[in-house]
């Protein structure tokens, strides 16, 4: 099953297209397109009457035959580039694209379950899309809705591809009943031809024939026979091909990634231009004027620009979609769903034990930070993940080789203070001295600037917001210390949940809050640590994915090396609650981390900051804020 997490740009409601390269299309739409949504919604409600039992039965069978939900949602691009979530019955294994990203379907696709093949062949998996029709995201008939990962590539490389966005996407359509699922760039070009034919010549009679054809396929009639019976069969030839033939790649039916699509498009770019868009052909001779060659998208055939296309666009929907933004952000968000951070400290450094263990006694306890960190480094290496390690200065002083190993493995080094004292227990000058001591040790060890900081126990709260200005003064560029939750030791509940840039008197500072999931108006912690150990891993993954969708940015996850060490010595905490928080479910941490690392693609804090900084150049007002009060 696709995670559907790769989305373009920032959220608007949930997703927002903020960069503009390709205008909303002005392809000449049939007048019927303007009012067909009302009829579609009424028909969708009627179809749900027999459809709901089929959906329920299919969902039950999916749940019985494979692990995971029965219905899933996935991000798609709709009319005029508007983003929406499409609902489908799950036909793939859970996390089928967790490591590969978006990939087109292929013959004998190993991602598809045995039951999924049957559901796809009968098209029962698409029945939940009737809810999309009722919501107004889709039509019953129209072009197939594509994923943002591919739209960015295809808009950039196929002339006129965005013209198909002039109408609502459909559950079925002229292209869907005539051609197999997309497999390469030429298969997309063929579908584009039929999609544009439909947009130009749509009518209620054409829609009824397409719906009836789809129904015949549902009851077992082959696609070719159903299309011929309804006189909807088409044969599309690209330049240099005979009608009805397929490209080698299409014949191979091999799944393709967006990057492979871009490569294929580059190879075809020299041979096909916008003026080369061919016409669809009927299998039989016909005089139907709707099947004559399509007019040039930008004119009426008489050299004059065609503006009728704007009539089919509702007021306020003249949104533009950016191929460049889709390309950049789909890659960024596919490869960086979350930021993986580690607070490198030993088990006796934890705040819960500070009441009984003085800092001058730390050296009396057997250190386990090196083997525990090695264990975590090995785990990340197996999954190809690099993260940000906030190293306690005291640990760096005593284990300099460990810091160099972390850095040599490609991880970012950040400061976690020197003495692990909560900031609100210090004066500003005490905090500055501790910060400088920690930073200077780390800089000497790795030979480069340290720009990332995390306070011990997330102790930047309302009473210690003055620390942000000191961080900026000392050359830090990013902090990840504010937790937007209620807690007895830390938290600013009404702080922004998404990464944002804070303006201090000493300069700007990026703030990456710890991940929280919004439930019933409250922020629920889901970012790691004790919360990760306490919650079922399925809840954590589901909520982190929701955070990713809701904020539009990579979420921040954290862990400590000692959390992978169930055999650590048992110490006396200052409270029973503190002891419970520390020792809860230590034996399951590594197993849960394995699952999490398979599910999401993580990166470093500086990578996320660089991506947001580049975006911020275009929309500073959206991502900047004054120091919260």
């Amino acid at each position: 099953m696709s995670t559907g997490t790769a989305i373009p740009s920032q959220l608007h409601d949930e997703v927002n297209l903020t960069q503009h390269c390709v205008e909303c299309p002005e392809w000449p739409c049939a007048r019927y397109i303007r009012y067909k949504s009302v009829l579609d919604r009424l028909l969708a409600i009627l179809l749900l009457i027999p459809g709901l039992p089929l959906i329920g039965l299919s969902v039950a069978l999916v749940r019985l035959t494979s692990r995971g939900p029965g219905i899933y949602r996935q991000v798609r691009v709709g009319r005029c580039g508007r983003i929406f979530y499409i609902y489908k019955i799950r036909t793939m294994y859970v996390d089928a694209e967790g490591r590969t990203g978006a990939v087109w379907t292929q013959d004998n696709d190993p991602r598809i379950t045995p039951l999924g093949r049957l559901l796809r062949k009968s098209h029962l998996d698409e029945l939940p899309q009737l809810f999309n029709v009722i919501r107004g995201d889709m039509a019953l008939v129209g072009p197939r809705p594509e994923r943002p990962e591919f739209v960015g590539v295809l808009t950039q490389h196929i002339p006129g591809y965005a013209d198909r966005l002039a109408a609502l996407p459909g559950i079925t359509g002229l292209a869907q009943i005539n051609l197999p699922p997309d497999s390469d760039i030429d298969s997309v070009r063929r579908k584009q031809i039929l999609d544009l034919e439909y947009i130009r010549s749509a009518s209620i009679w054409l829609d009824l024939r397409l719906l009836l054809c789809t129904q015949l396929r549902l009851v077992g009639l082959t696609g070719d026979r159903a299309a011929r019976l309804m006189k909807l069969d088409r044969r599309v030839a690209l330049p240099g091909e005979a009608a009805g033939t397929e490209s080698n790649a299409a014949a191979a039916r091999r799944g393709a990634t967006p990057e492979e699509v871009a490569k294929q498009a580059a190879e075809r770019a020299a041979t096909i231009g916008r003026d080369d868009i061919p016409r669809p052909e009927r299998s039989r001779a016909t005089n139907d004027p709707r099947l004559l060659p399509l007019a040039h998208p930008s004119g009426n055939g008489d050299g004059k620009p065609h503006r009728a296309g704007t009539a089919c666009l509702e007021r306020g929907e003249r949104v533009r979609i950016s191929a460049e933004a889709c390309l950049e952000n789909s890659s960024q968000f596919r490869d960086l769903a979350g930021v993986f951070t580690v607070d490198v400290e030993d088990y006796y450094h934890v705040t819960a034990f500070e009441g009984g263990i003085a800092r001058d006694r730390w050296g009396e306890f057997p250190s386990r930070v090196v083997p525990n960190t090695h264990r975590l480094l090995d785990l990340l290496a197996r999954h190809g993940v690099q993260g940000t390690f906030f190293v306690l200065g005291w640990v760096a002083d005593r284990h300099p080789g460990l810091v160099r190993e972390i850095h040599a493995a490609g991880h970012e080094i950040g400061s976690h203070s020197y003495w692990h004292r909560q900031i609100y227990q210090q004066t500003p000058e005490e905090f500055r001295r501790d910060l400088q001591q920690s930073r200077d040790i780390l800089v000497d060890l790795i030979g480069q600037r340290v720009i990332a900081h995390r306070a011990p126990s997330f102790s930047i709260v309302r009473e210690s917001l003055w620390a942000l200005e000191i961080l900026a003064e000392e050359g830090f560029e990013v902090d990840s210390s504010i937790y937007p939750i209620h807690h007895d030791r830390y938290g600013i509940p009404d702080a922004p949940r998404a990464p944002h840039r804070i303006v201090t008197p000493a300069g700007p500072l990026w703030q990456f809050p710890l991940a929280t999931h919004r439930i019933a108006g409250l922020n629920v912690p889901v970012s790691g640590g004790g919360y990760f150990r306490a919650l079922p891993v399925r809840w954590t993954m589901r909520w982190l994915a929701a955070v990713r969708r809701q904020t539009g940015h990579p979420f921040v996850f954290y862990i400590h090396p000692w959390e992978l060490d169930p055999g650590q010595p048992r110490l006396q905490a200052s409270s029973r609650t503190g002891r419970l928080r520390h020792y809860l479910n230590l034996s399951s941490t590594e197993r849960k981390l394995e699952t999490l690392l398979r599910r999401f693609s993580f990166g470093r804090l500086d990578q996320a900051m660089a991506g947001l900084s580049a975006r911020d150049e275009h929309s500073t007002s959206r991502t900047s804020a004054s120091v919260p009060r």
Side-chain angles (χ1 to χ4, degrees), residues 278-344:
R279 63 180 179 180
E281 298 178 1
R282 287 283 304 274
S283 298
R284 303 178 179 89
T286 179
N287 295 319
D288 190 339
R290 293 193 299 252
L291 302 180
L292 295 177
L294 300 178
H296 190 284
S298 61
N300 291 322
D302 56 3
K304 298 179 181 179
H306 195 300
R307 294 296 175 188
T310 56
C312 71
L313 305 180
E314 298 176 6
R315 186 181 301 274
E317 282 192 333
R318 297 201 52 175
V319 186
R320 298 178 181 182
I321 185 167
S322 166
E324 179 180 353
C326 285
L327 281 169
E328 175 184 348
N329 288 291
S330 66
S331 175
Q332 173 189 348
F333 285 113
R334 183 176 65 254
D335 296 336
L336 196 58
V339 176
F340 195 95
T341 65
V342 181
D343 294 352
V344 183

Side-chain angles (χ1 to χ4, degrees), residues 48 106 209 257 349 358 360 363 394 417-418 452 576 583:
L48 271 178
Q106 55 185 301
R209 289 157 60 203
T257 66
H349 294 140
D360 57 6
W394 191 91
S417 82
Y418 188 92
R576 291 183 178 180
Y583 294 114

Side-chain angles (χ1 to χ4, degrees), residues 41-62:
R41 291 182 182 186
L42 291 175
L43 286 175
I45 293 173
L46 293 175
L47 289 172
L48 271 178
I49 297 174
L52 282 174
L54 291 174
I55 292 174
L57 177 61
S58 300
V59 168
L61 290 174
V62 169

Side-chain angles (χ1 to χ4, degrees), residues 421-438:
R421 291 181 60 197
Q422 285 90 334
I423 292 178
Y424 49 75
Q425 295 176 346
Q426 306 176 64
T427 67
E429 283 309 311
E430 288 174 337
F431 169 66
R432 189 188 299 272
R433 287 195 298 270
D434 183 273
L435 180 68
Q436 291 172 342
Q437 185 179 8
S438 168

Side-chain angles (χ1 to χ4, degrees), residues 268-283:
R268 296 282 298 176
T271 61
I272 297 182
R274 189 177 183 118
D275 291 323
D276 295 324
I277 297 177
R279 63 180 179 180
E281 298 178 1
R282 287 283 304 274
S283 298

Side-chain angles (χ1 to χ4, degrees), residues 183-497:
S183 61
D184 68 344
I185 199 73
D186 284 345
S187 64
V188 177
R189 294 181 190 276
R190 292 184 181 87
K191 281 194 173 180
Q192 178 193 6
I193 295 166
L194 296 181
D195 287 336
L196 297 184
E197 179 198 351
Y198 172 78
I199 293 172
R200 182 173 179 268
S201 57
S203 68
I204 189 171
W205 173 235
L206 180 59
D207 273 11
L208 290 174
R209 289 157 60 203
L210 286 166
L211 289 172
L212 184 56
C213 180
T214 303
Q215 183 64 34
L216 291 174
R217 296 176 69 183
L218 284 174
V219 298
L221 199 64
T222 63
D224 289 342
R225 291 183 62 189
R228 286 197 301 269
L229 186 62
M230 292 291 105
K231 299 183 179 179
L232 293 169
D233 50 323
R234 304 289 190 273
R235 295 295 180 268
V236 181
L238 297 176
E241 292 182 343
T245 62
E246 292 185 337
S247 65
N248 291 334
R253 297 296 298 120
R254 177 182 54 84
T257 66
E259 291 75 15
E260 292 171 323
V261 171
K263 182 179 178 180
Q264 294 171 6
E267 294 170 352
R268 296 282 298 176
T271 61
I272 297 182
R274 189 177 183 118
D275 291 323
D276 295 324
I277 297 177
R279 63 180 179 180
E281 298 178 1
R282 287 283 304 274
S283 298
R284 303 178 179 89
T286 179
N287 295 319
D288 190 339
R290 293 193 299 252
L291 302 180
L292 295 177
L294 300 178
H296 190 284
S298 61
N300 291 322
D302 56 3
K304 298 179 181 179
H306 195 300
R307 294 296 175 188
T310 56
C312 71
L313 305 180
E314 298 176 6
R315 186 181 301 274
E317 282 192 333
R318 297 201 52 175
V319 186
R320 298 178 181 182
I321 185 167
S322 166
E324 179 180 353
C326 285
L327 281 169
E328 175 184 348
N329 288 291
S330 66
S331 175
Q332 173 189 348
F333 285 113
R334 183 176 65 254
D335 296 336
L336 196 58
V339 176
F340 195 95
T341 65
V342 181
D343 294 352
V344 183
E345 58 192 51
D346 224 327
Y347 63 97
Y348 47 81
H349 294 140
V350 177
T351 302
F353 303 132
E354 66 179 3
I357 302 176
R359 287 175 173 80
D360 57 6
R361 292 185 53 215
W362 280 355
E364 300 175 9
F365 293 87
S367 176
R368 303 169 73 94
V369 69
V370 173
N372 288 338
T373 304
H374 284 163
R375 191 173 180 179
L376 186 55
L377 288 171
D378 291 343
L379 177 63
L380 295 178
R382 288 200 300 272
H383 292 274
V385 171
Q386 292 181 337
T388 297
F389 283 63
F390 296 101
V391 183
L392 194 68
W394 191 91
V395 170
D397 236 352
R398 284 151 182 79
H399 305 286
L402 178 63
V403 179
R404 296 190 184 101
E405 283 185 66
I406 296 170
H407 183 250
H411 302 285
E412 180 186 15
I413 300 295
S415 170
H416 193 42
S417 82
Y418 188 92
W419 286 107
H420 206 270
R421 291 181 60 197
Q422 285 90 334
I423 292 178
Y424 49 75
Q425 295 176 346
Q426 306 176 64
T427 67
E429 283 309 311
E430 288 174 337
F431 169 66
R432 189 188 299 272
R433 287 195 298 270
D434 183 273
L435 180 68
Q436 291 172 342
Q437 185 179 8
S438 168
R439 178 200 60 197
D440 292 346
I441 291 171
L442 296 174
V443 169
D444 288 344
L445 289 175
I446 66 175
Q448 66 183 53
R449 290 180 61 209
V450 172
I451 63 171
H453 171 266
R454 173 170 290 156
S457 298
F458 314 114
S459 53
I460 294 185
V461 297
R462 293 193 191 281
E463 295 75 18
S464 55
L465 287 171
W466 46 261
L468 298 174
E469 182 177 353
I470 294 176
L471 286 170
E473 289 174 350
E474 293 297 328
F476 286 85
E477 297 180 13
V478 58
D479 175 71
S480 182
S481 305
I482 294 180
Y483 217 145
I485 62 170
H486 290 278
H487 192 276
D488 57 346
R489 286 201 307 264
Y490 53 79
I492 304 179
D494 57 351
R497 298 172 56 232

